[in-house]
Amino acid sequence: GENVEQHPSTLSVQEGDSAVIKCTYSDSASNYFPWYKQELGKGPQLIIDIRSNVGEKKDQRIAVTLNKTAKHFSLHITETQPEDSAVYFCAVRYPDSNYQLIWGAGTKLIIKP
Amino acid sequence: DGGITQSPKYLFRKEGQNVTLSCEQNLNHDAMYWYRQDPGQGLRLIYYSQIVNDFQKGDIAEGYSVSREKKESFPLTVTSAQKNPTAFYLCASSITTVNTEAFFGQGTRLTVV
């Protein structure tokens, strides 16, 4: 079936440095790629998303890039801050899955002071 | 404030008992979802509902049941048939299943003792 692989599972970066998380997917018909942030004890919250007709999208310190040929997309966080520490999930929407989202396993991002 | 409310936040259940988790939304969303989250794994879909009085099984529906009698409410029952019920349960909603930006509740942590 559809599969989404997310790497790394844990990422530790110095405050102020950049962080990059990557997800790969299997179905070339996928058309929607959101990223969610989950803080401890809370539900995930959408931080940025991209659709298949766009290669890159930015929102202040956060950006997402999509490579449809290679079937991967990445989350980029620049100038990291302590409040960026959280678990980040990617997801993919497959038309064949009745438009449901298939989720990556998550990346725990740790910002070191 | 608009949002999704899950209750209770923590729930303890004795083995062999059924338990119902509450999920209420006042966002006027048609679609609602239940996910299960286990450590080191992505979100796995239990059930979803596209409209009142309709719901569909997700990837891991065995041992769970739901109802959707009102647009605002989508309770999840964890039955005694669920072999490994201890987990973090997340409820979400979206305008429709096609517009898949999902808004999540704070989650319920269920522990079987």
Side-chain angles (χ1 to χ4, degrees):
Chain A
E2 299 86 356
N3 189 41
V4 178
E5 293 194 4
Q6 183 172 345
H7 298 282
S9 57
T10 304
L11 178 60
S12 183
V13 301
Q14 205 69 39
E15 183 179 349
D17 289 349
S18 296
V20 181
I21 303 169
K22 183 177 175 180
C23 285
T24 59
Y25 59 97
S26 55
D27 191 335
S28 57
S30 306
N31 56 13
Y32 176 66
F33 310 88
W35 284 93
Y36 284 79
K37 175 183 181 182
Q38 185 176 26
E39 297 177 342
L40 196 62
K42 297 184 177 180
Q45 187 171 16
L46 179 74
I47 55 171
I48 196 166
D49 57 9
I50 194 167
R51 301 186 187 273
S52 56
N53 58 348
V54 176
E56 182 176 1
K57 184 176 178 181
K58 292 183 73 172
D59 183 3
Q60 298 182 355
R61 296 186 298 109
I62 294 173
V64 55
T65 57
L66 173 64
N67 184 327
K68 288 187 65 181
T69 303
K71 290 187 280 189
H72 66 71
F73 59 110
S74 298
L75 175 70
H76 304 255
I77 305 174
T78 58
E79 301 172 16
T80 53
Q81 300 170 3
E83 54 266 34
D84 294 329
S85 293
V87 179
Y88 291 82
F89 290 95
C90 65
V92 176
R93 184 174 74 188
Y94 292 95
D96 286 347
S97 67
N98 199 23
Y99 297 101
Q100 296 311 307
L101 290 171
I102 309 298
W103 296 78
T107 296
K108 183 176 183 179
L109 177 61
I110 300 165
I111 307 301
K112 296 181 290 185
Chain B
D1 287 335
I4 300 180
T5 302
Q6 288 186 243
S7 61
K9 189 165 184 173
Y10 300 95
L11 189 56
F12 295 87
R13 184 197 96 177
K14 289 186 178 179
E15 215 169 311
Q17 289 180 338
N18 293 354
V19 64
T20 298
L21 282 59
S22 170
C23 179
E24 304 277 332
Q25 55 101 357
N26 60 5
L27 299 168
N28 201 32
H29 286 171
D30 282 327
M32 296 188 74
Y33 313 80
W34 274 105
Y35 289 95
R36 172 179 170 138
Q37 187 174 29
D38 294 286
Q41 297 190 40
L43 281 64
R44 292 185 291 168
L45 184 64
I46 305 172
Y47 269 98
Y48 66 100
S49 169
Q50 295 176 292
I51 200 166
V52 175
N53 292 323
D54 176 74
F55 48 84
Q56 308 292 330
K57 290 182 179 181
D59 299 323
I60 56 166
E62 186 175 350
Y64 300 97
S65 66
V66 293
S67 62
R68 187 85 187 276
E69 297 176 3
K70 298 186 298 182
K71 188 175 186 178
E72 314 83 65
S73 179
F74 191 40
L76 173 75
T77 297
V78 184
T79 75
S80 56
Q82 168 51 235
K83 299 301 181 191
N84 186 20
T86 295
F88 189 54
Y89 291 89
L90 286 161
C91 179
S93 72
S94 61
I95 296 174
T96 67
T97 52
V98 176
N99 181 345
T100 51
E101 178 178 350
F103 294 82
F104 284 84
Q106 298 281 317
T108 293
R109 184 164 299 281
L110 172 65
T111 303
V112 174
V113 296

